[in-house]
Amino acid sequence: MTQIRSVVLGCGSYLPEQVVTNAQLAARIDTSDEWIVQRTGIRERHIAGEGEFTSHLAIKAAQAALTDAGLDAQSIDLIVLATSTPDNTFPATAVAVQHALGINHGAAFDLQAVCSGFVFALATADNFLRTGAFKRALVIGAETFSRILDWTDRGTCVLFGDGAGAVVLEAQEQPGKAATDRGIVTTHLRSDGRHKAKLFVDGGPSSTQTVGHLRMEGREVFKHAVGMITDVIVDAFEATGLNADSIDWFVPHQANKRIIDASAHKLHIAPEKVVLTVDRHGNTSAASIPLALSAARKDGRIKRGDMVLMEAMGGGFTWGSAMVRW
């Protein structure tokens, strides 16, 4: 029995020009390159320039994805933009992207699931495409986390960076076999609000009428991360009948190299299958997975027919997985 799947047609990304190294941070706060690398694997991160907004990053990533797909923007009828750092409280940053691309049909909206945002957005677009409500979607993860950091807090400001990544999805009829179909094969999403205090921003329009700053209990987040991540990946394996050996590439949320290494080890995923960009990008929240996808596409690692496993965990807590045959 055939099945409609959301097939990836193109992938693109954008990083701000400004690069901030660990050494530059060490000149401003009580930290060191050795301390940051040992605990996180991060060596540098990109920071948006003055007047450079989340929408600007998202537009450039979307344009790159459309170019990679060889498509005109007018063929897009759905935009789902994952971000925790929108340009405005409203309207959605997605409509700014839609306007910049010259699209005035279909639908565009933001989705907020923090670092899990891209996986949540991918699952949302996939469900719309599979029902026939839309034909082609831009799924974007874009963040300017530098705008919500307390730059005196060495426990958080060294971790995050800015950037954007995007994919173009198209609804296509496939044979209906999880092991061989192209497109999104399965997605699994979770959340648990009991953990809010472990990772949150201490401000918002309703509560403080301010933007606020990111606050995190690092050890608590680390403690929960590996278990939650592996939980939704095991669900993906059970749903498809696949296993770690079936995976060509593991593209995790780029938050911390120690979490990534521990997750891959627990799942028996070979180190050479893991795509790592955290050293160059830092944690770019919802942008981290599409940035990593784009990097692995550009250097030739991810090829058509490859099975790609993605996972993420973010504030809330939210967490999720997606399995896609390229």
Side-chain angles (χ1 to χ4, degrees):
M1 183 181 293
T2 61
Q3 187 168 343
I4 299 297
R5 302 263 191 207
S6 302
V7 175
V8 179
L9 299 183
C11 182
S13 62
Y14 175 76
L15 289 161
E17 290 184 11
Q18 182 183 2
V19 176
V20 176
T21 65
N22 291 346
Q24 289 173 298
L25 288 177
R28 295 162 51 184
I29 58 173
D30 181 19
T31 190
S32 68
D33 176 68
E34 182 183 15
W35 187 90
I36 298 169
V37 172
Q38 183 181 30
R39 285 163 176 77
T40 70
I42 299 168
R43 298 182 182 277
E44 60 184 34
R45 71 285 294 147
H46 292 251
I47 302 297
E50 185 177 352
E52 191 172 34
F53 305 155
T54 294
S55 61
H56 299 142
L57 277 56
I59 290 162
K60 290 178 179 178
Q63 291 169 332
L66 287 165
T67 298
D68 186 50
L71 294 173
D72 184 88
Q74 294 303 314
S75 69
I76 300 297
D77 54 1
L78 175 65
I79 299 174
V80 185
L81 194 161
T83 187
S84 298
T85 51
D87 289 6
N88 303 101
T89 301
F90 71 82
T93 302
V95 301
V97 176
Q98 183 189 37
H99 176 65
L101 295 175
I103 303 170
N104 54 18
H105 59 269
F109 59 88
D110 290 356
L111 185 151
Q112 220 280 48
V114 202
C115 299
S116 305
F118 184 75
V119 173
F120 274 58
L122 208 61
T124 301
D126 176 45
N127 279 292
F128 275 121
L129 294 180
R130 287 192 293 108
T131 64
F134 299 96
K135 177 63 177 175
R136 280 189 184 147
L138 261 173
V139 179
I140 308 168
E143 302 281 18
T144 49
F145 253 52
S146 61
R147 307 273 158 77
I148 57 170
L149 297 178
D150 176 353
W151 287 96
T152 65
D153 178 7
R154 71 170 188 167
T156 57
C157 74
V158 303
L159 303 178
F160 296 91
D162 302 335
V167 297
V168 179
L169 299 179
E170 179 181 73
Q172 291 185 8
E173 193 173 276
Q174 295 290 313
K177 297 179 180 178
T180 56
D181 280 2
R182 285 193 70 204
I184 298 174
V185 177
T186 190
T187 59
H188 298 267
L189 309 179
R190 302 283 186 273
S191 62
D192 187 343
R194 291 176 296 175
H195 303 287
K196 174 192 170 182
K198 297 179 178 67
L199 179 54
F200 71 107
V201 169
D202 60 1
S206 176
S207 57
T208 64
Q209 300 177 50
T210 65
V211 174
H213 291 110
L214 185 148
R215 305 300 180 192
M216 182 173 72
E217 297 177 13
R219 290 184 180 179
E220 284 296 307
V221 173
F222 189 98
K223 186 173 73 174
H224 285 83
V226 175
M228 288 177 168
I229 287 165
T230 54
D231 168 53
V232 285
I233 291 175
V234 169
D235 286 349
F237 288 157
E238 290 178 352
T240 59
L242 303 176
N243 54 40
D245 294 334
S246 311
I247 302 304
D248 295 297
W249 299 106
F250 180 43
V251 184
H253 168 48
Q254 307 289 315
N256 182 305
K257 187 176 183 298
R258 292 164 64 200
I259 294 174
I260 293 170
D261 289 345
S263 301
H265 177 75
K266 187 173 180 179
L267 291 160
H268 306 293
I269 296 174
E272 58 270 20
K273 293 182 177 182
V274 181
V275 175
L276 279 172
T277 58
V278 68
D279 58 326
R280 309 190 302 276
H281 300 165
N283 181 347
T284 55
S285 189
S288 81
I289 289 177
L291 279 169
L293 286 173
S294 182
R297 279 287 291 149
K298 287 177 180 176
D299 65 24
R301 277 179 290 176
I302 294 179
K303 302 176 293 295
R304 177 164 174 163
D306 284 354
M307 184 63 85
V308 179
L309 175 63
M310 308 169 222
E311 60 76 13
M313 173 189 163
F317 287 147
T318 63
W319 64 104
S321 66
M323 195 178 291
V324 182
R325 186 169 295 281
W326 212 262

